[in-house]
Amino acid sequence: MTAPVLVLVDHTEGGAVRAPVRELLTLARGLAGDAGVHAAWAVDGVEPSAEVVAELGALGATHVHRVVADADLHLSAVLAEALASLLDATGAGLLLLVSSFENKEAAARLAVSTGAGVVTDADGLALVDGRYVASKTVFAGTWTTTCAVTAPLAIVALKPNSVQPSPAEGAPAPQIGEHVVAVSDKSRRVTLVERTERPASGRPDLGSASIVVAGGRGTEGDFSVVEELADVLGGAVGATRVATDEGWIGHDAQIGQTGVTIAPRVYIGVGVSGAVHHRGGMQASGTIVAINSDPDAPIFEIADFGVVGDLFTVVPQAAAEIRRLKG
Amino acid sequence: MVTWADGNVPRVRIVVCVKHVPDIQSERALGPDGRVVRDGGDGTINELDENAVEAALALVEASDGSVVALTVGPADAADAVRRGLQLGADEAVHVVDDAIAGSDVIGTARVLAAAVRHLDAQEHVDLVITGMAGLDGLTSLLPTALAELLDLPALPLAAELTVEGSTVRVRRNLDHASEVLEATLPALVSVTDQANEPRYPNFKGIMAARKKPITTLTLADLEVDASRVGALGARTEVLEAAARPPRDNRVLVQDTGDAGIRLAAYLVDNQLV
Ligand SMILES: Cc1cc2nc3c(=O)[nH]c(=O)nc-3n(C[C@H](O)[C@H](O)[C@H](O)COP(=O)(O)OP(=O)(O)OC[C@H]3O[C@@H](n4cnc5c(N)ncnc54)[C@H](O)[C@@H]3O)c2cc1C
Ligand SMILES: Nc1ncnc2c1ncn2[C@@H]1O[C@H](COP(=O)(O)O)[C@@H](O)[C@H]1O
């Protein structure tokens, strides 16, 4: 028993597919079998280009739906209505989303309106005896759980860096369709007065980067050492709440329970103590490296490689050496 | 930052949802049934709900409004609303019923929705405020689900909250964008830890809280169908839960001049970069 899978395609204002969507499509392909993978593109001012459609197809999308609504699809109520009608139209048994705050809002609404079972922040998903079974870590990454969806419809929000994306072999070009939604009055009660998308930093996106270098209070506001190491590694720059509260770097760089949750292949904490709120957002990382002058800093309890030392000498030395080794 | 604009300050009634969770500094665990282990007595109000209480109190301070602290949970969850009273809430409601155990987020939202409706029938509720997430499960699903069930406009993740007349406005920071949302009261808002700095209860508040009763309600009082909440109504089922083993082969080096070089070698030798 396999059902079609619907995948929401997160994209930038410029019309580029966000990296974690590749993971969703790779996963969806395996779960849908011959039933088909439907990619939903919210036309919120930007159309999917021919290259985008080809990219989605190469990853296994059999259908690409241009979702057009007579209200702003950035509003979760509007998006949820559109997705509910697309779930109906495609007969999908599973909706896959990137686990972001916005998508979780749509998921919460859909859970109420469709009766779906929802798992957020999942890091894996399989079909076991006809049920979707998701895995996720809880309690600041200290516990792993698996969770079955018992309702007929499943909604799973997947954390970035959970699946190795890969192209589908011999995938035919997807069918393109238009899905027009007339939004109810009820979903128009919130007005989006203003929306400002942050410009791309030139570095990888924090939420989906495979290497993240995070700076804390120990940097005393000098993020240049953090940035230098990130750049030599091709990684993203993150921070603790202390660093963002101090204004050393934007709030969008905050890693932790009230910031971004990340699980990169490598996390490097620079002058970060490893408070439980911060750990909640990074403890599921593949390899954890920490540089801290205090041998008793809690981050060393979870670090695979820890250096007790002054970040202002250790980090530039490491960056120079990596540059040398990589030639 | 929570402000009423000057001038037209109506009397508002705010319900603030507070959750009782295991202390995040404590050793947290899941039981064989996949539920959060709640004994050991180190439960506390969800830290982020203190921001919700603060937002509610700051709003009513500018008017003669009132704040009701509301929780759904087992007997010791009463601590969460008691904390709300100590901080300055006027009333407290605790929904407790054995049938609620094992609820998923939607089940909890159904009970909270019924309780808000119950309160609204007594006296009109203008605003429901929640925290941005429970630091136990971190689903963040509840606020929007509750708004959907109550048929209220939702303005989640407020880093700034303003109410002007009957218009509520929220600034929020998302992963890739920041937004300003607006709606007309009644509405539901969830607040982040950026919204304000929660106050501490003072002696006067603690003494005053002793005299304020906590109203206890059951599912029957709220006319909630018990089969739609609790383990019976849940649409997800935890199959397995295990503490992760500690990371092995951990290395800690003291810098004696070449730690940066050793760090680089570790990353390169293990093909991490
Ligand atoms: C409700 C709530 C939510 C929160 N959410 C988050 C969150 O999402 N993310 C988050 O990060 N925090 C969050 N916090 C804050 C969190 O509790 C910690 O305060 C914060 O993570 C600490 O940041 P830090 O490690 O930069 O600073 P500190 O804890 O002050 O640590 C700085 C470290 O730098 C080291 N150091 C100093 N100088 C040097 C040097 N020259 N070389 C090397 N090391 C040096 C010190 O030894 C120390 O260990 C939250 C708090 C609350 C109450
Ligand atoms: N059992 C509960 N009782 C009262 N409020 C709750 C309960 N569960 C969740 N909430 C509220 O919903 C917010 C988000 O919780 P969650 O969706 O569980 O992460 C919390 O910050 C609380 O304000």
Side-chain angles (χ1 to χ4, degrees), chain A residues 18 74-76 99-102 104-105 107-109 111-113 115-121 131 133 136-151 186 189-198 205 211 233 241 251-252 254 257-258 260 265-266 268 276-277 283-289 291 300-309 313-314 317-318 321-322 325, chain B residues 22 24-25 28-31 36-37 47-48 104 106 110 132-133 135-142 144-149 151-157 169 171-184 193-194 234-245 247-268 270-273:
Chain A
R18 291 203 190 274
H74 288 113
L75 292 167
S76 70
S99 214
S100 68
F101 284 123
E102 291 147 288
K104 286 196 256 186
E105 287 167 20
R109 290 182 186 279
V112 173
S113 65
V118 182
V119 182
T120 60
D121 300 300
R131 294 198 304 189
V133 176
K136 69 184 275 186
T137 63
V138 297
F139 296 151
T142 56
W143 280 67
T144 53
T145 62
T146 57
C147 184
V149 175
T150 52
K186 165 176 161 338
R189 289 178 306 187
V190 175
T191 311
L192 183 58
V193 179
E194 191 184 301
R195 180 181 160 94
T196 318
E197 195 157 309
R198 266 183 294 280
D205 187 44
I211 300 179
L233 296 172
R241 193 178 79 169
H251 268 293
D252 47 310
Q254 183 186 318
Q257 300 205 292
T258 57
V260 186
R265 212 151 60 82
V266 183
I268 303 178
V276 63
H277 299 100
Q283 197 153 345
S285 303
T287 297
I288 296 174
V289 173
I291 301 102
F300 289 134
E301 292 163 18
I302 56 163
D304 298 286
F305 191 90
V307 175
V308 182
T313 57
V314 175
Q317 188 183 50
E321 178 67 1
I322 291 164
L325 289 174
Chain B
I24 65 164
Q25 308 288 353
R28 294 174 292 172
L30 290 168
V36 178
V37 175
E47 242 175 322
L48 291 166
D104 60 8
I106 303 301
R110 275 190 208 293
M132 68 176 279
L135 286 179
D136 52 349
L138 271 183
T139 76
S140 301
L141 291 175
L142 189 124
T144 316
L146 179 58
E148 183 86 11
L149 286 165
D151 201 13
L152 288 177
L155 303 98
L157 297 176
R169 174 188 275 250
R171 173 175 291 281
R172 61 196 215 126
N173 300 314
L174 303 169
D175 294 348
H176 302 288
S178 70
E179 291 182 345
V180 176
L181 302 178
E182 218 173 73
T184 303
D193 56 334
Q194 289 169 40
R235 300 139 177 197
T236 54
E237 182 193 337
V238 177
L239 302 178
E240 287 167 335
R244 286 179 123 192
R247 292 167 184 262
D248 35 52
N249 303 324
R250 289 191 292 122
V251 181
L252 187 64
V253 304
Q254 171 75 49
D255 183 28
T256 51
D258 65 348
I261 291 167
R262 292 174 67 185
L263 169 53
Y266 173 83
L267 292 173
V268 172
N270 289 291
Q271 291 172 352
L272 294 168
V273 298

